[in-house]
Amino acid sequence: MGVTVDEPLVEALLAAAPAVVEAPAAAEKAEIPVVRRRGARSVSEWIREAERIAAGCASMDALARAIDEFGGSPLKATCENTVVYDGIPGASLMVIGEGPGAEEDRQGKPFVGKAGQLLDKMLAAIGRRRTENALISNVNYWRPPGNRNPEIDELAVCRPFVDRMIEIACPKLIVAAGGVPAVSLLNSRDGIMKLRGNEYTYTTPGGYTVPLIPMLHPAYLLRRPQDKSRAWRDLLLMEKRLGELEA
Ligand code: URA
């Protein structure tokens, strides 16, 4: 299948991008609360609880409600909203990012800040839209204070829900946007620069197997537009594999 990506669109976008986005404001940095409250349960007990709850969810609506009600992440205490997914369950493409930032937390939707707007334009360049044919979610559902990376425990309690979402939505291709989801889903010691450009296979504990492609995170591209040719290659690989998987 021929590649029909609108390269000038993405080029223009990346050229217009500000040098730095989503850096925490100084006041916010100074006041990052350290939250370590999970009630009486240990992390492994919360993981088992998440597994039990996720296994009982048969639809995306039920899963989204269950995630919103789940009490196992300490991040819930410091954020405004649970951010679960946006887009079309059942779409061939599922993009999984790192987790909500400030704007996502305000709106309760993934990838709606500056990086999300770039993601939308990058996806549109290969004919994918969250309103039509893409599902968008994250490996963590609650915004970490000060936009820090989610910690291993915080990711671990979300993972049963991530897996269940994949099993319910049945994507043909998962794209891990950025190092956090790529490293976490692939359980890899390598970073995103080594992982991207390749295809992997992801299998959920329930036995759903799906190809996974890591891509550079759009927030990274906004900070380093000079890496746009790498991002471009990520998009071409996504488009090529989606074409094959949908044939
Ligand atoms: N970055 C992510 O990885 N996910 C979002 O939802 C927003 C920004």
Side-chain angles (χ1 to χ4, degrees):
M1 155 171 299
V3 170
T4 56
V5 182
D6 181 1
E7 181 159 10
L9 170 70
V10 178
E11 290 281 335
L13 236 147
L14 293 173
V20 178
V21 289
E22 294 183 2
E28 195 181 5
K29 256 190 205 156
E31 287 167 24
I32 295 175
V34 177
V35 185
R36 280 284 163 275
R37 188 162 35 81
R38 280 197 185 86
R41 295 189 210 188
S42 67
V43 176
S44 13
E45 284 169 331
W46 277 118
I47 294 171
R48 279 198 296 280
E49 174 75 350
E51 285 167 353
R52 189 189 62 74
I53 296 170
C57 294
S59 69
M60 290 289 275
D61 280 354
L63 187 66
R65 267 197 310 276
I67 295 170
D68 191 34
E69 285 163 13
F70 181 66
S73 174
L75 297 174
K76 232 183 151 175
T78 51
C79 68
E80 270 185 55
N81 281 302
T82 303
V83 176
V84 182
Y85 78 92
D86 194 18
I88 311 293
S92 303
L93 173 63
M94 178 174 186
V95 178
I96 304 185
E98 167 180 330
E103 194 52 37
E104 289 77 19
D105 185 36
R106 255 190 297 280
Q107 295 191 34
K109 271 193 190 177
F111 281 106
V112 288
K114 287 203 169 85
Q117 288 160 25
L118 177 54
L119 176 69
D120 282 345
K121 294 196 169 123
M122 292 166 77
L123 293 182
I126 56 165
R128 306 284 150 172
R129 283 168 195 83
R130 65 172 91 193
T131 49
E132 284 170 36
N133 53 14
L135 175 66
I136 298 185
S137 188
N138 283 305
V139 284
N140 164 45
Y141 305 110
W142 298 279
R143 181 193 180 213
N147 282 349
R148 65 159 170 77
N149 283 350
E151 291 178 5
I152 288 174
D153 288 1
E154 294 159 356
L155 292 171
V157 295
C158 293
R159 186 59 162 272
F161 298 117
V162 175
D163 285 328
R164 190 70 194 124
M165 190 180 297
I166 293 167
E167 289 164 2
I168 292 171
C170 297
K172 290 190 162 80
L173 177 71
I174 290 177
V175 168
V180 169
V183 167
S184 161
L185 291 170
L186 297 172
N187 197 18
S188 172
R189 284 170 177 266
D190 293 326
I192 185 67
M193 284 305 180
K194 195 141 181 220
L195 293 172
R196 59 161 293 283
N198 301 301
E199 180 178 314
Y200 304 83
T201 299
Y202 186 73
T203 301
T204 68
Y208 184 79
T209 294
V210 55
L212 184 152
I213 294 176
M215 69 178 264
L216 291 177
H217 195 286
Y220 170 85
L221 288 172
L222 290 175
R223 288 192 303 273
R224 282 189 58 89
Q226 60 270 41
D227 271 335
K228 65 190 172 192
S229 64
R230 289 193 168 105
W232 186 242
R233 287 199 292 277
D234 294 345
L235 282 173
L236 292 180
L237 180 58
M238 284 161 61
E239 168 161 81
K240 175 172 164 286
R241 286 301 283 133
L242 280 166
E244 289 163 0
L245 293 160
E246 288 172 338

